[in-house]
Amino acid sequence: MEYAKLLQEYGPAQSEAQVAEEVARLGEIAVRNRTTEVYTFCYSAIDLTTLSCTDSVESVTELARKAVEFYERFPHIPNVASICIYPPFVETVGVAVDGTDMRITSVAGGFPSSQTFLEVKALEVGMAIENGADEIDIVLNVGKMLTGHYDEAASEVETIRAETDRDVVLKVIIESGALRTPELIRRASLLSMLAGADFVKTSTGKIDVAATPEAAVVMCRAIRDYFEKSGRRVGFKAAGGVRTPEDAALYYTIVEEILGPDWLTTDLFRIGASSAANNLLTAIEGHPVKFF
């Protein structure tokens, strides 16, 4: 498909100055969302993540065990949306969470650089799904985006989407910190959606610049514009650097203001986090909580 031509149907991104102005405005509004109710929802939208070179069957099992224990320890708080791990640990998590409604997310497709053969990417995604992953997070080829090879970047997503069942949620990470400009962030978001993404996600968390409110504003505007043309709702995921309850409330506000209340469900809004989980629990409970 000639994706670059499809981009012509959409207007340009806001300027950096316009984005900064909107972020400032939304930051002021976000104060109203620093509430227990919003923090509780944000906790339920977390993809509880461990993506370290030190991960092991033992450490991942312990994280999953704690997530399952949460149901009994905090029955008044909806549990996290999913556990996010590398592909070899999908079965490990599956065994640990069996009998619960916990979803399993796996990064795949050459995460975090996306620099491998497309066949390898598709195979890794397929193996993660075969082992029990409900959701897959892949990385858009940033090198191709930076050099203007938009059709090639989007076609990779299309190929991987074709290899997955429709009930598997596909999140595409655009690595917004590497793209830097509002225009490239907008194009990457639109290309991902046009190629079949169910979510667009800010970051891998593996480079210096992760999720930013500025990138979130641009991405959510692209999601809105895509919905207005296609009628298909695509979700937004902020990941990398989301640590405090105030961070979570700001991203919640960006989604609320740009996309509206229909997007404030865990089917369309996620937060990729590890440290944020305890910090949100502390805010919800009103005293220090170090559960994970």
Side-chain angles (χ1 to χ4, degrees), residues 98-190:
D98 187 42
T100 75
D101 59 1
M102 184 72 62
R103 295 182 68 80
I104 303 171
T105 297
S106 179
V107 297
F111 179 96
S113 69
S114 193
Q115 297 290 7
T116 189
F117 301 103
L118 178 56
E119 294 84 354
V120 173
K121 295 179 185 182
L123 178 61
E124 187 178 49
V125 167
M127 291 177 69
I129 294 169
E130 185 177 348
N131 285 351
D134 304 296
E135 306 183 358
I136 297 290
D137 290 16
I138 65 170
V139 184
L140 188 68
N141 192 307
V142 177
K144 293 184 186 301
M145 285 300 305
L146 292 173
T147 52
H149 298 296
Y150 302 143
D151 286 346
E152 293 178 25
S155 291
E156 288 194 1
V157 175
E158 179 186 11
T159 297
I160 292 172
R161 171 80 273 180
E163 294 293 321
T164 65
D165 295 334
R166 288 307 306 179
D167 60 348
V168 173
V169 174
L170 181 66
K171 308 190 198 90
V172 177
I173 305 164
I174 66 166
E175 200 67 290
S176 56
L179 299 175
R180 298 185 180 277
T181 69
E183 187 59 38
L184 269 179
I185 291 169
R186 178 174 171 82
R187 289 178 186 177
S189 301
L190 289 168

Coordinates of all heavy atoms in Angstrom, one line a residue, residues 98-190:
D98 N -2.8 -17.9 35.7 CA -3.9 -18.8 35.3 C -5.0 -18.7 36.3 O -4.9 -18.7 37.5 CB -3.3 -20.2 35.2 CG -4.4 -21.2 34.6 OD1 -5.0 -20.8 33.6 OD2 -4.5 -22.3 35.1
G99 N -6.2 -18.6 35.7 CA -7.4 -18.5 36.6 C -7.8 -17.1 36.9 O -8.9 -16.9 37.6
T100 N -7.1 -16.1 36.5 CA -7.4 -14.7 36.7 C -7.8 -14.1 35.4 O -7.6 -14.7 34.3 CB -6.3 -13.9 37.3 OG1 -5.2 -13.7 36.4 CG2 -5.6 -14.7 38.5
D101 N -8.2 -12.8 35.4 CA -8.5 -12.1 34.2 C -7.3 -11.2 33.7 O -7.4 -10.4 32.8 CB -9.7 -11.2 34.3 CG -9.7 -10.2 35.4 OD1 -8.6 -10.1 36.1 OD2 -10.6 -9.5 35.6
M102 N -6.1 -11.5 34.3 CA -4.9 -10.7 34.0 C -4.5 -11.0 32.5 O -4.4 -12.1 32.1 CB -3.8 -11.1 34.9 CG -2.5 -10.3 34.7 SD -2.6 -8.6 35.3 CE -2.9 -8.9 37.0
R103 N -4.3 -9.9 31.8 CA -3.8 -10.0 30.4 C -2.3 -10.1 30.3 O -1.6 -9.6 31.2 CB -4.3 -8.9 29.5 CG -5.9 -8.9 29.4 CD -6.4 -7.8 28.5 NE -6.0 -8.0 27.1 CZ -6.6 -8.8 26.3 NH1 -7.6 -9.5 26.7 NH2 -6.2 -8.8 25.0
I104 N -1.8 -10.7 29.3 CA -0.3 -10.8 29.1 C 0.1 -10.1 27.9 O -0.4 -10.3 26.8 CB 0.0 -12.3 28.9 CG1 -0.4 -13.1 30.1 CG2 1.6 -12.5 28.8 CD1 -0.3 -14.6 29.9
T105 N 1.0 -9.1 28.1 CA 1.6 -8.3 27.0 C 3.0 -8.7 26.8 O 3.8 -8.9 27.8 CB 1.5 -6.8 27.4 OG1 0.2 -6.4 27.5 CG2 2.2 -6.0 26.3
S106 N 3.4 -8.9 25.6 CA 4.8 -9.2 25.3 C 5.3 -8.1 24.3 O 4.7 -7.9 23.2 CB 4.9 -10.6 24.7 OG 6.3 -10.8 24.4
V107 N 6.5 -7.6 24.6 CA 7.2 -6.8 23.5 C 7.7 -7.9 22.6 O 8.1 -9.0 23.0 CB 8.3 -6.0 24.1 CG1 7.8 -4.9 25.1 CG2 9.4 -6.8 24.9
A108 N 7.8 -7.5 21.3 CA 8.3 -8.5 20.3 C 8.7 -7.8 19.1 O 8.6 -6.5 19.0 CB 7.2 -9.6 20.1
G109 N 9.1 -8.5 18.0 CA 9.4 -7.9 16.8 C 10.7 -7.1 16.8 O 10.8 -6.1 16.2
G110 N 11.7 -7.7 17.5 CA 13.0 -7.0 17.5 C 13.1 -5.8 18.5 O 13.9 -4.9 18.3
F111 N 12.2 -5.9 19.5 CA 12.3 -4.8 20.6 C 13.6 -4.8 21.2 O 14.2 -5.8 21.5 CB 11.2 -5.1 21.6 CG 11.1 -4.2 22.8 CD1 10.2 -3.1 22.8 CD2 12.0 -4.3 23.9 CE1 10.1 -2.2 23.8 CE2 11.9 -3.4 24.9 CZ 11.0 -2.4 24.9
P112 N 14.2 -3.6 21.6 CA 13.6 -2.3 21.4 C 14.1 -1.5 20.2 O 13.6 -0.4 19.9 CB 14.2 -1.6 22.6 CG 15.5 -2.2 22.8 CD 15.4 -3.6 22.4
S113 N 15.0 -2.1 19.3 CA 15.5 -1.3 18.2 C 14.7 -1.5 16.9 O 14.8 -0.7 16.0 CB 17.0 -1.6 18.0 OG 17.1 -3.0 17.5
S114 N 14.0 -2.6 16.8 CA 13.3 -3.0 15.6 C 14.3 -3.2 14.4 O 14.0 -3.2 13.2 CB 12.3 -1.9 15.2 OG 11.4 -2.4 14.2
Q115 N 15.6 -3.5 14.7 CA 16.6 -3.6 13.7 C 17.0 -5.1 13.5 O 18.0 -5.6 14.0 CB 17.9 -2.8 14.1 CG 17.6 -1.3 14.2 CD 17.4 -0.7 12.8 OE1 17.3 -1.3 11.8 NE2 17.3 0.7 12.8
T116 N 16.0 -5.8 12.9 CA 16.3 -7.2 12.5 C 15.5 -7.5 11.3 O 14.7 -6.7 10.8 CB 16.1 -8.2 13.6 OG1 16.5 -9.5 13.2 CG2 14.6 -8.3 14.0
F117 N 15.6 -8.7 10.7 CA 14.8 -9.1 9.5 C 13.3 -9.1 9.8 O 12.9 -9.5 10.9 CB 15.3 -10.4 9.0 CG 16.8 -10.5 8.7 CD1 17.7 -11.1 9.6 CD2 17.2 -9.9 7.5 CE1 19.0 -11.1 9.3 CE2 18.6 -10.0 7.2 CZ 19.5 -10.6 8.1
L118 N 12.6 -8.7 8.9 CA 11.1 -8.7 9.0 C 10.6 -10.1 9.4 O 9.7 -10.2 10.2 CB 10.4 -8.1 7.8 CG 8.9 -8.1 7.8 CD1 8.3 -7.3 9.0 CD2 8.4 -7.5 6.5
E119 N 11.2 -11.1 8.7 CA 10.8 -12.5 9.0 C 11.0 -12.8 10.4 O 10.2 -13.6 11.0 CB 11.5 -13.4 8.0 CG 11.2 -13.3 6.5 CD 12.0 -12.2 5.9 OE1 12.8 -11.4 6.6 OE2 11.9 -12.0 4.6
V120 N 12.1 -12.3 11.0 CA 12.4 -12.6 12.4 C 11.4 -11.9 13.3 O 10.9 -12.5 14.3 CB 13.8 -12.2 12.7 CG1 14.1 -12.3 14.2 CG2 14.9 -13.0 11.9
K121 N 11.1 -10.7 12.9 CA 10.1 -9.9 13.7 C 8.7 -10.7 13.7 O 8.1 -10.9 14.8 CB 9.9 -8.5 13.1 CG 11.1 -7.6 13.2 CD 10.8 -6.3 12.6 CE 12.0 -5.4 12.5 NZ 11.7 -4.1 11.9
A122 N 8.3 -11.1 12.6 CA 7.0 -11.8 12.5 C 7.0 -13.1 13.2 O 6.1 -13.5 13.9 CB 6.6 -12.0 11.0
L123 N 8.1 -13.8 13.1 CA 8.3 -15.1 13.8 C 8.2 -14.9 15.3 O 7.5 -15.7 16.0 CB 9.6 -15.8 13.4 CG 9.8 -17.1 14.1 CD1 8.7 -18.2 13.8 CD2 11.2 -17.7 13.7
E124 N 8.9 -13.9 15.8 CA 8.9 -13.7 17.3 C 7.6 -13.3 17.8 O 7.1 -13.7 18.8 CB 9.9 -12.6 17.6 CG 10.1 -12.4 19.1 CD 11.2 -11.3 19.4 OE1 11.1 -10.2 18.8 OE2 12.0 -11.6 20.3
V125 N 6.9 -12.4 17.0 CA 5.5 -12.1 17.4 C 4.6 -13.3 17.4 O 3.8 -13.5 18.3 CB 4.9 -11.0 16.4 CG1 3.4 -10.9 16.6 CG2 5.6 -9.7 16.6
G126 N 4.7 -14.1 16.4 CA 3.9 -15.3 16.3 C 4.2 -16.3 17.4 O 3.2 -16.9 18.0
M127 N 5.4 -16.5 17.8 CA 5.8 -17.3 18.9 C 5.2 -16.8 20.2 O 4.8 -17.6 21.1 CB 7.3 -17.5 19.0 CG 7.9 -18.3 17.8 SD 9.7 -18.5 17.9 CE 9.9 -19.5 19.3
A128 N 5.3 -15.5 20.4 CA 4.8 -14.9 21.7 C 3.3 -15.2 21.8 O 2.8 -15.5 22.9 CB 5.1 -13.4 21.7
I129 N 2.6 -15.0 20.7 CA 1.1 -15.3 20.7 C 0.8 -16.7 20.9 O -0.1 -17.1 21.7 CB 0.5 -14.8 19.3 CG1 0.6 -13.2 19.2 CG2 -1.0 -15.2 19.2 CD1 0.3 -12.7 17.9
E130 N 1.6 -17.6 20.2 CA 1.4 -19.0 20.4 C 1.6 -19.4 21.9 O 0.9 -20.3 22.4 CB 2.3 -19.8 19.5 CG 2.1 -21.3 19.5 CD 3.0 -22.0 18.6 OE1 3.7 -21.4 17.7 OE2 3.1 -23.3 18.6
N131 N 2.5 -18.8 22.5 CA 2.8 -19.1 23.9 C 1.8 -18.5 24.9 O 1.8 -18.7 26.1 CB 4.2 -18.7 24.3 CG 5.2 -19.6 23.7 OD1 4.9 -20.7 23.2 ND2 6.5 -19.2 23.8
G132 N 0.9 -17.6 24.4 CA -0.2 -17.1 25.2 C -0.3 -15.6 25.4 O -1.1 -15.1 26.2
A133 N 0.4 -14.8 24.6 CA 0.3 -13.4 24.7 C -1.0 -12.9 24.2 O -1.4 -13.3 23.1 CB 1.5 -12.7 24.0
D134 N -1.7 -12.0 24.9 CA -2.9 -11.4 24.5 C -2.7 -10.1 23.8 O -3.5 -9.7 22.9 CB -3.8 -11.1 25.7 CG -4.1 -12.3 26.6 OD1 -4.7 -13.2 26.1 OD2 -3.6 -12.3 27.8
E135 N -1.5 -9.5 24.1 CA -1.2 -8.2 23.5 C 0.3 -8.2 23.1 O 1.1 -8.8 23.8 CB -1.5 -7.1 24.5 CG -2.9 -7.1 25.0 CD -3.3 -6.0 25.9 OE1 -2.4 -5.1 26.2 OE2 -4.4 -5.9 26.4
I136 N 0.5 -7.5 22.0 CA 1.9 -7.4 21.5 C 2.3 -6.0 21.3 O 1.6 -5.2 20.7 CB 2.0 -8.2 20.1 CG1 1.7 -9.7 20.3 CG2 3.4 -7.9 19.5 CD1 2.8 -10.4 21.0
D137 N 3.5 -5.6 21.8 CA 4.0 -4.2 21.6 C 5.2 -4.3 20.7 O 6.2 -5.0 21.1 CB 4.4 -3.6 22.9 CG 3.3 -3.3 23.8 OD1 2.2 -3.8 23.6 OD2 3.5 -2.5 24.8
I138 N 5.1 -3.7 19.5 CA 6.3 -3.7 18.6 C 6.8 -2.3 18.4 O 6.1 -1.3 18.8 CB 5.9 -4.3 17.2 CG1 4.8 -3.5 16.5 CG2 5.4 -5.8 17.4 CD1 4.6 -3.9 15.1
V139 N 7.9 -2.2 17.8 CA 8.5 -0.8 17.6 C 8.5 -0.5 16.1 O 9.0 -1.3 15.2 CB 10.0 -0.8 18.1 CG1 10.5 0.6 17.9 CG2 10.0 -1.2 19.6
L140 N 8.0 0.6 15.7 CA 8.0 1.1 14.3 C 9.5 1.3 14.0 O 10.3 1.7 14.8 CB 7.3 2.4 14.2 CG 7.1 3.0 12.8 CD1 6.1 2.1 12.0 CD2 6.5 4.4 13.0
N141 N 9.9 1.0 12.8 CA 11.3 1.2 12.4 C 11.6 2.7 12.3 O 11.3 3.4 11.3 CB 11.5 0.5 11.0 CG 13.0 0.4 10.7 OD1 13.7 1.4 10.7 ND2 13.4 -0.8 10.3
V142 N 12.3 3.1 13.3 CA 12.6 4.6 13.5 C 13.6 5.0 12.4 O 13.5 6.1 11.8 CB 13.2 4.9 14.9 CG1 13.5 6.3 15.0 CG2 12.1 4.5 15.9
G143 N 14.6 4.2 12.0 CA 15.5 4.5 11.0 C 14.8 4.8 9.7 O 15.2 5.8 9.0
K144 N 13.8 4.0 9.3 CA 13.1 4.3 8.1 C 12.3 5.5 8.2 O 12.1 6.3 7.2 CB 12.2 3.0 7.8 CG 13.0 1.8 7.4 CD 12.1 0.6 7.0 CE 12.8 -0.7 6.8 NZ 13.9 -0.6 5.8
M145 N 11.7 5.8 9.4 CA 11.0 7.1 9.5 C 11.9 8.3 9.4 O 11.5 9.3 8.7 CB 10.3 7.1 10.9 CG 9.1 6.2 11.1 SD 7.7 6.6 9.9 CE 7.5 8.3 10.3
L146 N 13.0 8.2 9.9 CA 13.9 9.4 9.9 C 14.5 9.7 8.5 O 14.9 10.8 8.2 CB 15.1 9.2 10.9 CG 14.7 9.2 12.4 CD1 15.9 8.8 13.2 CD2 14.2 10.6 12.8
T147 N 14.5 8.6 7.7 CA 15.0 8.8 6.3 C 13.9 8.9 5.3 O 14.2 8.9 4.1 CB 16.0 7.6 6.0 OG1 15.3 6.4 6.2 CG2 17.3 7.7 6.8
G148 N 12.7 9.0 5.7 CA 11.6 9.2 4.8 C 11.0 8.0 4.1 O 10.2 8.1 3.2
H149 N 11.4 6.8 4.5 CA 10.9 5.6 3.9 C 9.6 5.1 4.6 O 9.5 4.1 5.3 CB 12.0 4.5 4.0 CG 13.2 4.8 3.2 ND1 13.3 5.0 1.9 CD2 14.5 5.0 3.7 CE1 14.5 5.2 1.5 NE2 15.3 5.3 2.6
Y150 N 8.6 6.0 4.5 CA 7.4 5.8 5.2 C 6.6 4.5 4.8 O 6.1 3.8 5.6 CB 6.5 7.0 5.0 CG 7.1 8.3 5.5 CD1 6.8 9.5 4.8 CD2 7.9 8.3 6.6 CE1 7.4 10.7 5.2 CE2 8.5 9.5 7.0 CZ 8.2 10.7 6.3 OH 8.8 11.9 6.7
D151 N 6.6 4.2 3.5 CA 5.9 3.0 3.0 C 6.5 1.8 3.6 O 5.8 0.9 4.0 CB 5.9 3.0 1.5 CG 5.0 4.0 0.8 OD1 4.1 4.5 1.5 OD2 5.1 4.2 -0.4
E152 N 7.8 1.7 3.7 CA 8.5 0.6 4.2 C 8.2 0.4 5.7 O 8.0 -0.7 6.2 CB 10.0 0.7 3.9 CG 10.4 0.6 2.5 CD 11.9 0.8 2.3 OE1 12.7 0.4 3.2 OE2 12.3 1.2 1.2
A153 N 8.3 1.5 6.4 CA 8.0 1.4 7.9 C 6.6 0.9 8.1 O 6.4 0.0 9.0 CB 8.2 2.8 8.5
A154 N 5.6 1.5 7.4 CA 4.2 1.1 7.6 C 4.0 -0.3 7.2 O 3.2 -1.1 7.8 CB 3.3 2.1 6.9
S155 N 4.6 -0.7 6.1 CA 4.4 -2.1 5.5 C 4.9 -3.2 6.5 O 4.3 -4.2 6.5 CB 5.1 -2.2 4.2 OG 4.5 -1.4 3.2
E156 N 5.9 -2.9 7.3 CA 6.3 -3.8 8.3 C 5.2 -4.0 9.3 O 5.0 -5.2 9.7 CB 7.6 -3.3 9.0 CG 8.9 -3.4 8.1 CD 10.1 -3.3 8.9 OE1 10.0 -3.1 10.2 OE2 11.2 -3.3 8.3
V157 N 4.6 -2.9 9.7 CA 3.5 -3.1 10.7 C 2.3 -3.9 10.1 O 1.7 -4.7 10.7 CB 3.0 -1.7 11.1 CG1 1.8 -1.8 12.1 CG2 4.1 -0.9 11.8
E158 N 2.0 -3.6 8.8 CA 1.0 -4.3 8.1 C 1.2 -5.8 8.0 O 0.3 -6.6 8.3 CB 0.8 -3.7 6.7 CG -0.3 -4.4 5.9 CD -0.3 -3.9 4.4 OE1 0.7 -3.2 4.0 OE2 -1.2 -4.3 3.7
T159 N 2.5 -6.1 7.8 CA 2.8 -7.5 7.7 C 2.7 -8.2 9.0 O 2.1 -9.3 9.1 CB 4.3 -7.7 7.2 OG1 4.4 -7.2 5.9 CG2 4.7 -9.1 7.2
I160 N 3.1 -7.6 10.1 CA 3.0 -8.2 11.4 C 1.5 -8.3 11.8 O 1.1 -9.2 12.4 CB 3.8 -7.4 12.4 CG1 5.3 -7.6 12.1 CG2 3.5 -7.8 13.9 CD1 6.2 -6.7 12.9
R161 N 0.8 -7.2 11.5 CA -0.7 -7.2 11.8 C -1.4 -8.4 11.1 O -2.2 -9.1 11.7 CB -1.3 -5.9 11.4 CG -2.8 -5.9 11.4 CD -3.3 -5.6 12.8 NE -3.5 -6.7 13.6 CZ -4.0 -6.7 14.9 NH1 -4.3 -5.6 15.5 NH2 -4.1 -7.8 15.6
A162 N -1.0 -8.7 9.9 CA -1.6 -9.8 9.1 C -1.2 -11.2 9.7 O -2.0 -12.1 9.5 CB -1.1 -9.7 7.7
E163 N -0.1 -11.2 10.5 CA 0.3 -12.5 11.1 C -0.4 -12.7 12.4 O -0.2 -13.8 13.0 CB 1.8 -12.5 11.3 CG 2.6 -12.5 10.0 CD 2.5 -13.8 9.2 OE1 2.4 -14.8 9.9 OE2 2.4 -13.7 8.0
T164 N -1.2 -11.8 12.9 CA -1.8 -11.9 14.3 C -3.3 -12.1 14.1 O -3.9 -11.5 13.2 CB -1.5 -10.7 15.1 OG1 -2.1 -9.5 14.6 CG2 0.0 -10.4 15.3
D165 N -3.9 -12.8 15.1 CA -5.4 -12.8 15.1 C -5.9 -11.5 15.5 O -5.3 -10.7 16.2 CB -5.8 -13.9 16.2 CG -5.4 -15.3 15.8 OD1 -5.2 -15.6 14.6 OD2 -5.2 -16.1 16.8
R166 N -7.1 -11.2 15.0 CA -7.7 -9.9 15.3 C -8.0 -9.6 16.8 O -8.1 -8.5 17.2 CB -9.0 -9.7 14.5 CG -8.8 -9.5 13.0 CD -7.8 -8.5 12.6 NE -8.2 -7.1 13.2 CZ -7.4 -6.1 13.0 NH1 -6.3 -6.1 12.2 NH2 -7.8 -4.9 13.5
D167 N -8.1 -10.7 17.5 CA -8.4 -10.5 19.0 C -7.1 -10.2 19.8 O -7.1 -9.9 20.9 CB -9.1 -11.7 19.6 CG -8.3 -13.0 19.5 OD1 -7.3 -13.0 18.7 OD2 -8.7 -14.0 20.1
V168 N -5.9 -10.3 19.1 CA -4.7 -9.9 19.7 C -4.5 -8.4 19.5 O -4.6 -7.8 18.4 CB -3.5 -10.6 19.1 CG1 -2.2 -10.1 19.6 CG2 -3.6 -12.1 19.3
V169 N -4.3 -7.7 20.6 CA -4.1 -6.2 20.6 C -2.7 -5.9 20.2 O -1.7 -6.4 20.8 CB -4.4 -5.6 22.0 CG1 -4.1 -4.1 22.0 CG2 -5.9 -5.9 22.4
L170 N -2.6 -5.1 19.1 CA -1.3 -4.7 18.6 C -1.0 -3.3 18.9 O -1.7 -2.4 18.5 CB -1.2 -4.9 17.1 CG 0.2 -4.6 16.4 CD1 1.2 -5.5 16.9 CD2 0.0 -4.6 14.9
K171 N 0.0 -3.1 19.8 CA 0.5 -1.7 20.1 C 1.7 -1.4 19.3 O 2.7 -2.2 19.4 CB 0.7 -1.6 21.6 CG -0.5 -2.0 22.5 CD -0.2 -1.6 23.9 CE -1.0 -2.4 24.9 NZ -0.4 -3.6 25.4
V172 N 1.8 -0.3 18.7 CA 3.0 0.1 17.9 C 3.7 1.3 18.6 O 3.1 2.4 18.9 CB 2.6 0.5 16.5 CG1 3.9 1.0 15.7 CG2 2.0 -0.7 15.8
I173 N 4.9 1.1 19.0 CA 5.7 2.1 19.7 C 6.4 2.9 18.6 O 7.2 2.4 17.8 CB 6.8 1.4 20.6 CG1 6.2 0.4 21.5 CG2 7.6 2.4 21.3 CD1 7.2 -0.6 22.1
I174 N 6.2 4.2 18.7 CA 6.8 5.1 17.6 C 8.1 5.7 18.1 O 8.8 6.3 17.3 CB 5.8 6.2 17.2 CG1 5.6 7.2 18.4 CG2 4.5 5.7 16.7 CD1 5.0 8.5 18.0
E175 N 8.5 5.4 19.3 CA 9.8 6.0 19.9 C 9.9 7.5 19.6 O 10.7 8.0 18.9 CB 11.0 5.3 19.3 CG 12.3 5.4 20.2 CD 12.2 4.7 21.5 OE1 11.4 5.2 22.4 OE2 12.9 3.7 21.7
S176 N 8.9 8.2 20.2 CA 8.7 9.6 20.0 C 9.9 10.4 20.3 O 10.2 11.5 19.7 CB 7.5 10.1 20.7 OG 7.6 9.9 22.1
G177 N 10.7 10.0 21.3 CA 11.9 10.8 21.7 C 13.0 10.8 20.6 O 13.8 11.7 20.6
A178 N 13.0 9.8 19.8 CA 13.9 9.7 18.7 C 13.4 10.5 17.5 O 14.2 11.0 16.7 CB 14.2 8.3 18.3
L179 N 12.1 10.6 17.3 CA 11.6 11.3 16.2 C 11.6 12.8 16.4 O 11.8 13.6 15.4 CB 10.1 10.9 15.9 CG 9.9 9.4 15.6 CD1 8.4 9.1 15.5 CD2 10.6 9.1 14.3
R180 N 11.4 13.2 17.6 CA 11.6 14.6 18.1 C 10.6 15.6 17.6 O 10.1 16.4 18.4 CB 13.1 15.1 17.8 CG 14.1 14.3 18.5 CD 15.5 14.8 18.2 NE 16.5 14.0 18.9 CZ 16.9 14.1 20.2 NH1 16.3 15.0 21.0 NH2 17.8 13.3 20.7
T181 N 10.4 15.8 16.3 CA 9.5 16.9 15.8 C 8.1 16.5 15.9 O 7.7 15.3 15.7 CB 9.9 17.3 14.4 OG1 9.5 16.3 13.5 CG2 11.4 17.6 14.3
P182 N 7.2 17.5 16.1 CA 5.8 17.2 16.0 C 5.3 16.5 14.7 O 4.5 15.6 14.7 CB 5.1 18.5 16.2 CG 6.1 19.3 17.0 CD 7.4 18.9 16.5
E183 N 5.9 17.0 13.6 CA 5.5 16.4 12.3 C 5.8 15.0 12.2 O 5.0 14.2 11.7 CB 6.1 17.2 11.2 CG 5.6 16.8 9.8 CD 4.1 17.0 9.6 OE1 3.5 18.0 10.2 OE2 3.5 16.1 9.0
L184 N 7.0 14.6 12.6 CA 7.4 13.2 12.5 C 6.6 12.3 13.4 O 6.3 11.2 13.1 CB 8.9 13.0 12.7 CG 9.8 13.1 11.5 CD1 11.3 12.9 11.9 CD2 9.4 12.0 10.4
I185 N 6.4 12.8 14.6 CA 5.6 12.1 15.6 C 4.2 11.9 15.1 O 3.6 10.8 15.2 CB 5.6 12.8 17.0 CG1 7.0 12.8 17.6 CG2 4.5 12.2 17.9 CD1 7.1 13.7 18.8
R186 N 3.6 12.9 14.5 CA 2.3 12.8 13.9 C 2.3 11.7 12.7 O 1.4 10.9 12.7 CB 1.8 14.1 13.4 CG 0.4 14.1 12.7 CD 0.0 15.5 12.3 NE -1.2 15.5 11.5 CZ -2.5 15.4 12.0 NH1 -2.7 15.2 13.3 NH2 -3.5 15.5 11.2
R187 N 3.2 11.8 11.9 CA 3.3 10.9 10.7 C 3.5 9.5 11.2 O 2.8 8.6 10.7 CB 4.5 11.3 9.8 CG 4.2 12.6 9.0 CD 5.4 12.9 8.1 NE 5.3 14.2 7.5 CZ 6.2 14.8 6.7 NH1 7.4 14.2 6.5 NH2 6.0 16.0 6.2
A188 N 4.3 9.2 12.2 CA 4.5 7.9 12.7 C 3.3 7.3 13.3 O 2.9 6.2 13.1 CB 5.7 7.9 13.7
S189 N 2.5 8.2 14.0 CA 1.3 7.8 14.6 C 0.2 7.4 13.6 O -0.4 6.3 13.6 CB 0.7 8.9 15.5 OG 1.6 9.2 16.6
L190 N 0.1 8.3 12.6 CA -0.9 8.0 11.5 C -0.5 6.8 10.7 O -1.4 5.9 10.4 CB -1.0 9.2 10.6 CG -1.7 10.5 11.2 CD1 -1.4 11.7 10.3 CD2 -3.1 10.2 11.4

